[in-house]
Amino acid sequence: MSNDRYHRGAGGHRRRHNRDREEHDYHDRRREIYDSPEQVIKNTIIKMGEVDPTQEVPRVAKQIRDGPIIVPAISEGIRLGVTQQPYKIPYYAALLRLLHDPAPSQIESSTSSSAPSLGKQVLEDFWKGFQGYLDKLAWRDIRLCIHFFAHLMVAQVISIESMSALLQSFTTVLDEFGVSYGRGKNAALCAIEGLLIAGAVIKKSSSPNTGEIIKAIQSFNESITSSKLLVQPMVSLHSDSPVLENADELIDNGLTVLKALEESDFLDAWSNVPQPYLDYPDLDPTVSSPFELPSILVPPEVIELDGLATDAGEDAQVKKEDWPEHFFYLFDNTVTPEPASMSGFLIRSNVRDIIDIFEVNRKECARLLLEYPKWCVPGTFKPRSGAPPTEEDPNAKNWQLESAVIETILGTLFLFPEPPHKAVYYIALITELCKLSPSTVGPAVGKSIRKLYILLGNGLDVEISRRFAEWFAVHMSNFGFQWVWKEWVPDLALVEDHPKRTFVHRTIVFEVRLSYHDRILKTLPDPMQIDLNVIDNQAPGPEFEYEDPTNPYHDVAQSILSLLRGRSRVDEVISHIDTLRISLESTSIPLPHPHTSVDALIRSLAVQCLLSIGSRSFSHLLNAVERYLPLLRGLANPNPAHGGGDETEAKRNILDAAAFFWRRNQQMVGIVFDKLMQYQIVDPTDVVAWTFGHAGMLDGMGDGDPGRPSCIGAFEWDLIKGALDKANGRVMVARRKVAALRKEQDDSIARAKASGGADVASMEADADVKPIKQDDPAAESPQLKIALKAFTSLTREQKCALSRTIESFVSCLALSPSDPRHNPYGQSVTTEQAWQKRLTWSNDEWKTWETWGWYRHFCRMYAPYLRNYATTLSTVGFARIQDSVDPAAELMKKTWDIATGQEV
């Protein structure tokens, strides 16, 4: 009987399960979402050409005509395709060209209709979207739409006169008074690229000559010549020449191409770009008249009116100005597209747009980049291995796709002052490309690394060297840290501070951070393994000065450690340290350093003990610092009445202790310094002063060798940059808070006025209405007063950090020979004669040259902030060299003037 019950139960369970599944499937079918006709047509247009664009364009045109005609959906599909898939623009122009033909019903009836063609209707709706891009000044979308219009003009869909007027509207921007470089550059690129595509037709027409457009662009380009000197990837301190062997400026290239085309009457210009619409019959203007683009006025830049005046009366609003874009080239023009040719310029522009647009999806970006040749004129790139043979074209370029893509990615990564996106995106994109096609992309990456390495020591900018090392290390970490290091073993004979040796050491440091010491050590050849200037002989870690039992202060440190490990209350720890201070003042134990005071010793003991319990992980560090914040603040702000010493010295002692503790791990030095600034134990100015005071002393202790000049390297620059970013970031946060509170107060006053003087925001039901007096000071928000006070204080701190940085660079590079801190190489390394003899330079000369590089990067990186306070900062920072005619001083002031826009 039990068995029968079991089987009946099991069968019932199966039936219920089947019934539940059927009901679930029924509900799933009810929830199925079917695309609307609008969505279907948009998707069809966006996906057009994935297999064979030439064959698909007529099919999509027929599908649009046969289906329900939904003009907004068709227009939106083309607009999304144009702005998100720029490589398809010629084919979208071909699609619209077919839609511009009369409808088949009109042709069969041999009647003309007054109604506009479908192509015109779509174009009219497309123009509304373009106007929206103009209103928002979405420059990339504007420029891509101009590509579309230019192709349509060549296809006879758009009139020549209206297209020429559109391009001239952008050159008008270049004549605006005080036009910013960013605005002018974007407008110039719109005119350049539009003219490259449409210039051959415009040149032969009766429209205004193409020469006028070129002349306007050239006038704008000549006005920014000096700015180009600060953003060149190859540094030439002794020369003002804008011409470089390994890089070209973007607008310069565009002008070079346009001038060459103008001189040849745009001969063979059409052979450089796909123009599938030229395969269709010419349009009859009597049947389908060209579309007239409406005239436009490029709207002005949005000017924020909530700038805040500082205590010195200067505007604290920061407007980030763009710099000229010098793109780095690694390969010969026979390998990658020639930048100063029409096809090369447009191809590079197209690849950069793909990289920019698909930043949200690096995998898709990598796939599209490797498929890019199918959207180009046949013969542009070498065919892939295994592809069917084709007829040889004598005019074929046969460039190497992978080399061109890698060169473009690295050129964008190396832009100054910063790349458009985070550096990790470009690094990850190269990794994805290598994974998709290792046999073709891998060699291109290897060649790029070797070519960049050759440029080290030949003028490669220090910031590019740092980014190169970062990319190289991360890239190696994705491929088992495999590299042929033995190729660079002969360079171990160079001086330690030569850029090649500095690069190798920095790369190894980054690799150890990404892995661990012993693993990286095994990847190196024997000569590098034993060279301490390549890799340290032990893994990076803490170095607790008082851990050794033989240290005379070991027991004192252990007493502090026992309290911290036991999570004793802050007041107990502070009381114990005060007791130790009194005890040490009367002890006979010698101080660790001749010039160290008891207070400095106490700070060193306390800080190192605190860092010791926080050394296990980042979370341990944060917990320790946050738990004992009052202790750190007491150490950093001594009470003079109790003989606590100077506050500046106290903060310097704290930084000394932190740097000594983590001297074998530079990354942790930066992290600890950042946390000390975050919790306001030290100020950004303190970090800047400490870094320059200990320049070159990577262990973070001591004043350095007085016989060596004070110079900074990449490690010191990272600390300085962290301090300046902290100061600038605080001001920006405070400014936004003030702006929000000010808007809130203005809204409250506006509501009060609207209600007849009553504060409606604070009204309660059945409560008496109290009028607000607009002139009553008490009506001002207390929160706003506090925020304004904080903003003024933080702005003062920001200016102090910036001016201290300038003063310190002056001390490193441009002091007079009579000054005891004078660097004898500050001037000599900037001369052409010295540069030609750089193979014999000493460590001091290379470090001085690197310091010049970081000064240049400081000026271009923080130009928006320097420009805001130019008068104050130059007066304070250059006070010691204001009247100096020393070449080094002149070069420093000239660099400053270029960065702040004051160059003559």
Side-chain angles (χ1 to χ4, degrees), residues 61-62 65-66 69 98-99 101-111 118:
K62 184 177 184 301
R65 288 190 183 277
D66 293 345
I69 304 297
L98 291 179
L99 297 180
D101 284 335
S105 59
Q106 294 179 346
I107 298 175
E108 291 173 2
S109 62
S110 301
T111 59
L118 177 56

Side-chain angles (χ1 to χ4, degrees), residues 138-400:
W139 284 110
R140 187 188 67 206
D141 294 335
I142 293 170
R143 179 169 49 80
L144 295 177
C145 286
I146 288 175
H147 283 216
F148 183 56
F149 295 146
H151 280 287
L152 288 175
M153 191 216 70
V154 179
Q156 303 175 336
V157 176
I158 288 176
S159 73
I160 299 172
E161 294 76 12
S162 63
M163 184 66 204
S164 177
L166 177 65
L167 296 180
Q168 286 188 313
S169 298
F170 288 96
T171 59
T172 303
V173 172
L174 307 179
D175 295 328
E176 294 175 353
F177 176 76
V179 60
S180 69
Y181 176 75
R183 177 177 172 84
K185 176 195 71 177
N186 285 310
L189 285 176
C190 289
I192 289 172
E193 296 186 7
L195 197 57
L196 286 177
I197 299 169
V201 178
I202 296 177
K203 178 74 172 177
K204 297 176 181 178
S205 71
S206 57
S207 300
N209 201 293
T210 53
E212 296 180 14
I213 298 176
I214 297 173
K215 185 178 180 181
I217 299 171
Q218 183 169 357
S219 298
F220 167 74
N221 192 47
E222 290 172 351
S223 68
I224 55 162
T225 302
S226 58
S227 299
K228 299 174 186 177
L229 297 175
L230 273 191
V231 289
Q232 293 175 338
M234 298 297 293
V235 178
S236 179
L237 296 174
H238 58 273
S239 173
D240 292 342
S241 173
V243 180
L244 295 174
E245 293 183 5
N246 298 89
D248 287 315
E249 201 275 324
L250 190 58
I251 305 297
D252 283 344
N253 272 342
L255 273 173
T256 302
V257 178
L258 284 178
K259 288 177 181 178
L261 290 173
E262 176 77 2
E263 291 175 2
S264 66
D265 287 335
F266 286 80
L267 183 66
D268 294 330
W270 288 354
S271 64
N272 294 285
V273 231
Q275 295 175 309
Y277 40 79
L278 293 182
D279 295 336
Y280 308 148
D282 289 345
L283 286 171
D284 185 352
T286 61
V287 178
S288 300
S289 60
F291 182 82
E292 297 289 338
L293 295 174
S295 59
I296 66 163
L297 179 65
V298 181
E301 292 178 300
V302 177
I303 300 176
E304 297 183 24
L305 300 177
D306 59 345
L308 305 175
T310 65
D311 54 338
E314 295 167 311
D315 183 14
Q317 180 174 314
V318 170
K319 289 186 177 181
K320 189 171 183 179
E321 296 288 338
D322 294 332
W323 287 87
E325 295 179 340
H326 271 90
F327 283 92
F328 206 76
Y329 306 129
L330 299 171
F331 301 100
D332 187 76
N333 291 336
T334 60
V335 178
T336 57
E338 183 182 357
S341 67
M342 177 177 171
S343 55
F345 188 89
L346 289 176
I347 286 171
R348 289 177 181 275
S349 176
N350 230 333
V351 172
R352 287 195 300 269
D353 286 335
I354 294 172
I355 294 170
D356 189 35
I357 292 169
F358 288 90
E359 180 265 341
V360 295
N361 189 341
R362 68 179 187 275
K363 294 180 182 291
E364 182 68 5
C365 183
R367 182 185 69 82
L368 291 172
L369 288 172
L370 292 180
E371 293 178 358
Y372 180 66
K374 79 183 245 185
W375 306 103
C376 300
V377 173
T380 300
F381 292 101
K382 281 185 178 180
R384 282 178 170 269
S385 59
T390 57
E391 295 182 8
E392 290 190 9
D393 183 358
N395 297 320
K397 305 294 185 181
N398 287 328
W399 287 312
Q400 295 178 9

Side-chain angles (χ1 to χ4, degrees), residues 22-36:
E22 289 172 0
E23 291 178 358
H24 177 74
D25 292 343
Y26 171 74
H27 287 296
D28 270 0
R29 287 195 298 272
R30 290 184 60 187
R31 285 197 295 266
E32 286 180 1
I33 299 174
Y34 296 94
D35 288 339
S36 64

